[in-house]
Amino acid sequence: MSPPSVTKQFSQLVAPDLIALGFTPNGTKQFRRLVGDIIQVIFLHVESRIRREFMIEYCAFLISVPHTHYSLEHGGRFPVGSHGTWYRADTSEKLEQSMTQVRAAIPALVDWFRASETLPGFLGTFSTHCSAQPPALVHNGHTAMTLACGHVSAGDFHAARLHAMRALSEFESILASFRAQHPTADHWAPVCIERAQALIAAIDASATDSLLAEWRALTTGALKIHR
């Protein structure tokens, strides 16, 4: 007998709450919605190597920041505010119990998506999230670039430039530290440094619209997002 279908049960019992919010399926294990510059995604991971169980992850990020893969920097594992739960799904009874637990916790995730669906809401929830993290996790250049692009879109160019300068400094520091240990190895930081420099130059030249449009096209193309 084949094991019970996690994806089928999720689609029948949980997905309607997401679809009512405007999410659409992207395959059988992902749902996402695009609201302005904000993409929100929920992932269903099914594990079968040891025992059949599943985990849910969620995220929200700006498509105006160049992305070639999904980022969980703003988001995490479900339930909201936890380190995540692996739900049992090795029998029909266990799967039913797990889906009951998921449905009970879904309202908090719906509230999280609603809180981060507007640009001010996203910037607020993202800033609050970052302030609660250890410095090593947010002084990575990427956090500051997200805030820089978000503030550009909000029309706060002074704050945007400050965040872009911080991103540039952090990317340069990360690259210098890497080069000290691996002088000839490739690294991702040079591309990010160029982008931070381009954003600063665009802010100074009042030319951010075209730059962010280019970055939106990069993200939507790489992640196959249809606007």
Side-chain angles (χ1 to χ4, degrees), residues 58 77-82 105 108-110 112:
Y58 60 95
R77 290 179 163 182
F78 180 85
V80 173
S82 74
L109 180 59
V110 170
W112 188 90

Side-chain angles (χ1 to χ4, degrees), residues 13 95-105:
L13 300 177
L95 178 56
E96 183 177 349
Q97 292 172 10
S98 293
M99 285 299 171
T100 298
Q101 294 172 25
V102 169
R103 292 194 69 189

Side-chain angles (χ1 to χ4, degrees), residues 165-183:
M165 290 295 295
R166 179 184 139 197
L168 176 60
S169 175
E170 290 174 354
F171 287 139
E172 289 177 336
S173 177
I174 289 168
L175 180 61
S177 177
F178 181 82
R179 287 279 185 260
Q181 301 179 53
H182 311 281

Side-chain angles (χ1 to χ4, degrees), residues 1 5 13 16 28 54 92 105 113 116 130 162 197 212 226:
M1 179 181 296
S5 173
L13 300 177
T28 60
F54 65 94
S92 297
F113 282 131
S116 61
C130 292
L162 292 177
Q197 291 171 333
L212 293 195
H226 302 293

Side-chain angles (χ1 to χ4, degrees), residues 11-89:
S11 295
Q12 292 177 345
L13 300 177
V14 179
D17 292 328
L18 302 174
I19 292 171
L21 198 60
F23 282 79
T24 57
N26 182 41
T28 60
K29 298 179 182 178
Q30 184 187 115
F31 292 79
R32 64 189 185 185
R33 72 166 177 163
L34 182 64
V35 188
D37 271 356
I38 301 160
I39 183 77
Q40 299 179 327
V41 190
I42 184 166
F43 308 90
L44 177 64
H45 303 283
V46 181
E47 172 63 60
S48 301
R49 287 175 296 181
I50 299 176
R51 66 182 183 186
R52 193 167 182 82
E53 53 189 3
F54 65 94
M55 163 77 75
I56 300 169
E57 292 179 328
Y58 60 95
C59 68
F61 59 89
L62 299 177
I63 62 169
S64 56
V65 182
H67 282 89
T68 56
H69 59 277
Y70 290 99
S71 170
L72 291 179
E73 184 175 18
H74 192 29
R77 290 179 163 182
F78 180 85
V80 173
S82 74
H83 293 294
T85 298
W86 281 104
Y87 294 94
R88 294 286 297 274

